[in-house]
Amino acid sequence: MSKVTVAKFGGTSVADAEAMRRCAAIVTQTANTRVVVLSASSGVTNLLVDLARGTLSAAEQEIHLKKLKSIQDNILTELGNPSPLRETIDSILKEIADMARQANQNSDAALEDRLVAQGELMSTRLFTEMMNQLGHKAVWFDVRKIMRTDSRFGRATPAIEAIHNLAQQDMAPLLKDHIVITQGFIGANADGQTTTLGRGGSDFSAALLAEALGVDELEIWTDVPGIYTTDPRLVKEAHPIPEITFSEAAEMATFGAKVLHPATLQPAVRKGIPVFVGSSKDPAAGGTWVRESTESSPLFRAVALRRNQILLTLHSPNMLHACGFLAQVFTILAKHGISVDLITTSEVSVAITLDQTGSQSSGRSVLNETVLAELNAFCKVKVENDLALVALIGNRMSEVNGVGTQVFDAVSEHNVRMICYGASTHNLCFLVPESDASLVVQKLHQRLLGH
Ligand code: ASP
Ligand code: MG
């Protein structure tokens, strides 16, 4: 077969029939696109997450179910209400209502995942029908057959080797004659129970499938034409970056640029698969190519911002000259599946920020009473919330003289905390008060990335 591309479309790209038609046009403009990975239609996962929490009143539940139905009905109507799709969607909606009621009585993580997974199951059914109506040989594929994960419901870890073997066995043979339409975000454990990869996980799904199938390119279609130098809603002068390396893009995704789910690039890096990021609303606008190496490697490439950071300061006199204090802290956090982000230390305290990106599908905070109690048992813990993390992304940043002066000069009027610099040559980051965050990003962009 010639070149093969996996294309992933996000929630806004499949929000309604009109948006879906644009996706169909993108998929079919080249013969290479053989696998299409979809998110749930915009808003659907949020509605399902609310239902899955099991805390809505009966009246609120009804409103949520009505909204879900109307999103599906609008697309179905555009498609001419065909059978048996109409019945399939109705039965999924009925199942959602049943599960929502069950969640209100006794919610558990497995049920939550089964419920939130329904959004992708519906959007892919609808899109397959649309493609078939347009005369393309599209086939619906239940990704749970091949997207094997562990059983950590809400944020499951994919089993790379199993996914490879299953994809080669069950999906690869279909690509010769079909365009395969499948779900992002969802998977299944070895017992066949539905799992999810965490909010925004569809990008990650697409990359995992691209890796497993060994394809040539991965396209991530979203609602912005590529990766920008910073969030254009914050800075008017922000501009799309035509080409960026895997390392820089991974730092950006991790440190708050919303375009890509932070884990997306790992599979692409492992297999060296170039990733294109573009807008399904405006494919002609071009986009960003993420690759192993790029022609230019500027000192400053972008500024990323991540809000709502949790800063924990742990203080203990026992830390003085002690061995193993940090090990104890990390053991507790690891036991609860909490990943540490930034870390700085002083004589008797250590400050850490917790990574909330890609948090559980349920949206629950990573920090809970149990963790805090366990930490409090051997040190004093202070928790602060009103902080934002600003990250400058670039190249050779820790190897060039004067980077610190340039950066901190630009933000000299702000209280900067927890500076992390040097662990990677691609990133310098720090915390600022939430209320200063936008201004700090604007100043950095103007000084270091303005044209
Ligand atoms: N539908 C899921 C979410 O909204 C996954 C995704 O869109 O990537 O989080
Ligand atoms: Mg998305």
Side-chain angles (χ1 to χ4, degrees), residues 113-375:
D113 268 5
R114 240 187 315 136
L115 220 173
V116 301
Q118 303 302 319
E120 272 71 9
L121 292 167
M122 292 190 286
S123 64
T124 46
R125 292 270 187 196
L126 294 162
F127 189 69
T128 308
E129 171 71 22
M130 176 177 285
M131 289 286 284
N132 286 330
Q133 288 190 7
L134 291 167
H136 305 291
K137 251 175 113 181
V139 57
W140 183 83
F141 188 93
D142 188 336
V143 84
R144 292 172 294 184
K145 284 204 276 192
I146 62 174
M147 188 57 70
R148 177 68 55 79
T149 71
D150 66 4
S151 298
R152 208 170 128 205
F153 297 104
R155 198 178 177 179
T157 304
I160 310 298
E161 207 183 308
I163 295 168
H164 170 86
N165 295 338
L166 292 166
Q168 288 297 334
Q169 183 190 302
D170 293 334
M171 190 185 264
L174 298 172
L175 307 191
K176 205 157 68 74
D177 295 320
H178 294 88
I179 299 174
V180 174
I181 316 292
T182 198
Q183 305 79 35
F185 182 52
I186 74 174
N189 65 14
D191 297 330
Q193 287 176 291
T194 301
T195 55
T196 60
L197 301 178
R199 291 305 304 267
S202 291
D203 294 347
F204 188 30
S205 302
L208 287 164
L209 293 177
E211 175 186 36
L213 295 164
V215 303
D216 303 280
E217 275 169 15
L218 168 63
E219 295 174 352
I220 305 282
W221 294 97
T222 167
D223 51 5
V224 285
I227 301 176
Y228 276 63
T229 47
T230 197
D231 185 343
R233 284 165 303 187
L234 280 184
V235 181
K236 264 198 334 287
E237 294 76 23
H239 43 272
I241 304 167
E243 240 197 347
I244 187 168
T245 58
F246 283 134
S247 322
E248 293 169 280
E251 296 276 356
M252 280 186 77
T254 305
F255 287 102
K258 296 253 164 46
V259 202
L260 289 179
H261 181 275
T264 310
L265 293 168
Q266 296 160 6
V269 171
R270 286 196 290 264
K271 277 279 172 80
I273 303 169
V275 181
F276 176 80
V277 183
S279 163
S280 66
K281 280 203 187 104
D282 190 7
T288 302
W289 276 104
V290 190
R291 315 177 191 276
E292 216 142 279
S293 64
T294 55
E295 228 159 78
S296 78
S297 42
L299 181 60
F300 300 115
R301 180 88 84 176
V303 193
L305 173 64
R306 207 161 77 185
R307 297 184 185 273
N308 301 320
Q309 297 305 285
I310 303 179
L311 174 64
L312 285 187
T313 313
L314 308 171
H315 176 89
S316 163
N318 300 338
M319 198 181 150
L320 195 62
H321 306 306
C323 294
F325 178 82
L326 282 180
Q328 261 177 296
V329 171
F330 279 91
T331 307
I332 292 174
L333 296 172
K335 196 176 86 191
H336 291 277
I338 297 176
S339 111
V340 172
D341 208 21
L342 308 186
I343 167 157
T344 62
T345 60
S346 84
E347 192 188 22
V348 288
S349 9
V350 43
I352 57 182
T353 61
L354 302 183
D355 184 0
Q356 294 240 68
T357 24
S359 59
Q360 295 209 335
S361 297
S362 63
R364 266 191 274 281
S365 170
V366 291
L367 201 60
N368 57 47
E369 293 303 320
T370 329
V371 192
L372 285 173
E374 284 181 36
L375 290 171

Side-chain angles (χ1 to χ4, degrees), residues 32-43:
N32 299 349
T33 311
R34 312 304 297 171
V35 181
V36 177
V37 178
L38 301 186
S39 290
S41 301
S42 185

